[in-house]
Amino acid sequence: MTATPVWSVDPRTGKQREQVAVEATPREVDEAVRAAHAARGPLADAGVRAAFLRTAAALLDEAAAHVIEAADAETALGPGRLTGELARTTGQLRAFADAVDEGSYLDVRIDRADPSLSPPRPELRRYKVPLGVVAVYAASNFPLAFSVPGGDTASALAAGCPVVVKAHPDHPATSELCASLLRRAAVAVGLPPEVVSVVHGFDAGLELIRHPLVAAAGFTGSVRGGRALFDAAAARPVPIPFHGELGSLNPVVVTPAAAAERAEEIGSGLAGSMTLGVGQFCVKPGLVLVPDGADGDRITGALTKALGEIEPGVLLDRRMRENFISGVRERAALPGVEAPVTPGAGGEHTVGAGYLTVRAGDLLAGDGHGLLLEECFGPVTVVVRYGGQSEAGAVLGLLDGNLSATLQLSAVETEGAPGPAAELIGQVTRLAGRIVVNGWPTGVAVAPAQHHGGPYPAATSHSTSVGGTAIERWLRPVAYQSVPDALLPAELREANPLGLPRRVTGG
């Protein structure tokens, strides 16, 4: 059987740069998973894990110029964007190291025995243990922060789970480079390098999700690809958790009062958000409800002007470019849809940003307009002109789950008095995992209170892939009842030798 080469491709030219690897065979996937499984024991030491994560961050920072150069050559995202993404990536690694040191992620709980209760309560001690080997499916649009050294990998390693990453074909050289740095960091702190492995190839991804020693998976990508893996995870003889981020429209609602107050600011802000990263952010605002009338016209006028000043950009690969062009063309052909600024091909390898408009009544009537409610990856958004709160609410009622929902409100509306703004907050809370007011959804802060997920298809679980609580995806609780202290895990012993935070009830 001939090995299938894995090429690094320059999206600015479409030309192959170098052969990076070959696609992994089923035997090679099996070997990677078994080696990762064998590394669970050494990874169990929390102090070593924390040192590993910090060392990995330091090595990535030291190699920053090389990492950014490699990523830019494969993604065309630009040194500025990638410099920020690398800082985010190393910041995540250090944040999870801090979480390991602090220990509250283990959620240690102790209920003292109480024979006076009816029925009597036995001694119970509970904490969380790592699931095992985690399969990570890297994202196309974040070659660092959602790829080999990204949040799924960092949180899984912090939990004590070895990782096998299925690299994304859009940045294989960057993936191999980052994997080598993570493996160097592992060896530097006394861990086997197999705590992190990388495999390439579509078939390798399927083999990975089906492997009996893989205990959980994390995915960021398309609805179609993610759903196929989600179904495969559920169809295994022993189903496993699949934490997938699949797709999101990220609706924005502009109230009439906000449009009257700051139309130009909203229009230009929308242009910046929808074209950030050439429209390839998972939280790009893809559907914007703008009120009818002169104030709404001022918003679209400002949007038109701002988009006219944005140069065509390069998408991550040719397939995405073709899907973007055909997707825009199909949407623009729907009855009642107009393109004040036509998005589409900007050159042989580039695309131009633009937007489509449709009346809310046409969208609610159907006639194939459901396509406008599906994500179109790239620098395009759909502006829906609505006539009143009930019509805006009806459009929101058509939407599936989303990662984010944004409200542009006036100063008076933000004062919190009961009224339409409060009703909107309630409505979009049912739709999304993050609610933004008077900002834009692009830019997901890595913080303890962050939630990057949402109702399906935004995500396949209720967990977050960004922020400190992302570690919870790779842990399961275990309770110990009436177990002698000497036989308990160190985390649960009465003397608390590890100094962990714990909740204790009873006396």
Side-chain angles (χ1 to χ4, degrees), residues 3 23 80 139 238 264 271 288 294 393 398 484 489:
E23 294 187 0
V238 178
E264 287 75 19
V288 186
L398 298 175

Side-chain angles (χ1 to χ4, degrees), residues 178-200:
C178 291
S180 70
L181 294 170
L182 293 183
R183 291 163 73 91
R184 276 179 53 196
V187 172
V189 300
L191 289 171
E194 292 83 7
V195 293
V196 178
S197 298
V198 170
V199 296
H200 298 267

Side-chain angles (χ1 to χ4, degrees), residues 21 37 194 308 327 382:
H37 185 72
E194 292 83 7
V382 176

Side-chain angles (χ1 to χ4, degrees), residues 20-391:
V20 174
V22 294
E23 294 187 0
T25 64
R27 178 178 177 179
E28 289 166 338
V29 173
D30 177 64
E31 290 172 349
V33 174
R34 291 187 182 280
H37 185 72
R40 292 174 304 146
L43 198 58
D45 187 305
V48 173
R49 290 206 306 277
F52 169 36
L53 294 169
R54 292 190 177 99
T55 302
L59 289 179
L60 283 163
D61 282 339
E62 290 173 12
H66 190 18
V67 171
I68 291 167
E69 180 184 17
D72 181 52
E74 293 186 303
T75 66
L77 289 173
R81 148 71 194 273
L82 292 166
T83 297
E85 186 179 337
L86 179 59
R88 174 197 181 99
T89 303
T90 56
Q92 285 180 151
L93 289 162
R94 293 185 175 99
F96 281 114
D98 292 342
V100 173
D101 285 341
E102 191 268 338
S104 62
Y105 72 98
L106 294 171
D107 195 22
V108 176
R109 299 170 184 250
I110 297 173
D111 286 323
R112 305 289 189 195
D114 190 342
S116 69
L117 296 176
S118 181
R121 183 178 67 208
E123 182 88 357
L124 289 166
R125 293 172 182 250
R126 177 185 186 273
Y127 82 136
K128 294 181 179 179
V129 299
L131 292 176
V133 178
V134 169
V136 170
Y137 293 81
S140 62
N141 55 343
F142 281 85
L144 304 173
F146 283 84
S147 187
V148 172
D152 283 352
T153 297
S155 58
L157 292 170
C161 297
V163 171
V164 179
V165 182
K166 190 275 181 187
H168 197 280
D170 280 350
H171 37 78
T174 307
S175 298
E176 286 291 338
L177 172 58
C178 291
S180 70
L181 294 170
L182 293 183
R183 291 163 73 91
R184 276 179 53 196
V187 172
V189 300
L191 289 171
E194 292 83 7
V195 293
V196 178
S197 298
V198 170
V199 296
H200 298 267
F202 177 84
D203 290 340
L206 294 176
E207 291 290 335
L208 190 57
I209 199 68
R210 295 168 180 159
H211 198 288
L213 294 181
V214 168
F219 171 90
T220 302
S222 68
V223 173
R224 181 179 178 184
R227 184 54 194 255
L229 291 170
F230 177 59
D231 291 345
R236 291 167 37 129
V238 178
I240 61 171
F242 182 87
H243 301 285
E245 179 193 317
L246 309 189
S248 183
L249 202 58
N250 307 300
V252 177
V253 181
V254 183
T255 67
E261 184 178 87
R262 47 192 177 86
E264 287 75 19
E265 176 188 331
I266 292 170
S268 61
L270 172 58
S273 183
M274 61 165 280
T275 59
L276 191 64
V278 202
Q280 296 173 112
F281 276 42
C282 50
V283 285
K284 178 201 76 176
L287 187 81
V288 186
L289 280 75
V290 172
D292 283 336
D295 292 327
D297 292 344
R298 288 166 53 214
I299 290 176
T300 56
L303 176 60
T304 297
K305 179 181 177 182
L307 290 178
E309 297 172 356
I310 295 175
E311 294 293 326
V314 177
L315 295 183
L316 291 162
D317 63 35
R318 181 168 294 276
R319 176 183 57 84
M320 290 182 187
R321 181 177 181 274
E322 291 172 353
N323 287 343
F324 172 72
I325 293 170
S326 62
V328 166
R329 184 184 302 119
E330 189 175 1
R331 288 164 172 79
L334 293 171
V337 174
E338 298 179 357
V341 180
T342 304
E348 184 180 0
H349 301 289
T350 61
V351 295
Y355 71 101
L356 307 175
T357 63
V358 66
R359 298 198 59 78
D362 291 334
L363 192 60
L364 292 167
D367 296 329
H369 287 82
L371 183 62
L372 298 174
L373 305 180
E374 297 178 12
E375 181 182 16
C376 187
F377 198 67
V380 63
T381 195
V382 176
V383 173
V384 180
R385 301 299 297 267
Y386 71 92
Q389 175 107 0
S390 61
E391 197 169 50

Side-chain angles (χ1 to χ4, degrees), residues 393-479:
V395 172
L396 292 174
L398 298 175
L399 303 186
D400 293 325
N402 289 270
L403 294 170
S404 73
T406 298
L407 302 181
Q408 297 292 341
L409 307 177
S410 70
V412 171
E413 289 172 320
T414 60
E415 293 175 358
E423 294 175 12
L424 277 173
I425 289 282
Q427 187 163 16
V428 297
T429 295
R430 294 190 292 272
L431 289 176
R434 178 166 60 105
I435 312 304
V436 180
V437 171
N438 291 350
W440 297 102
T442 40
V444 183
V446 180
Q450 184 59 270
H451 185 81
H452 190 60
Y456 185 86
T460 59
S461 72
H462 298 307
S463 301
T464 179
S465 61
V466 178
T469 55
I471 195 172
E472 295 173 1
R473 297 173 295 169
W474 321 120
L475 299 162
R476 67 177 180 88
V478 179

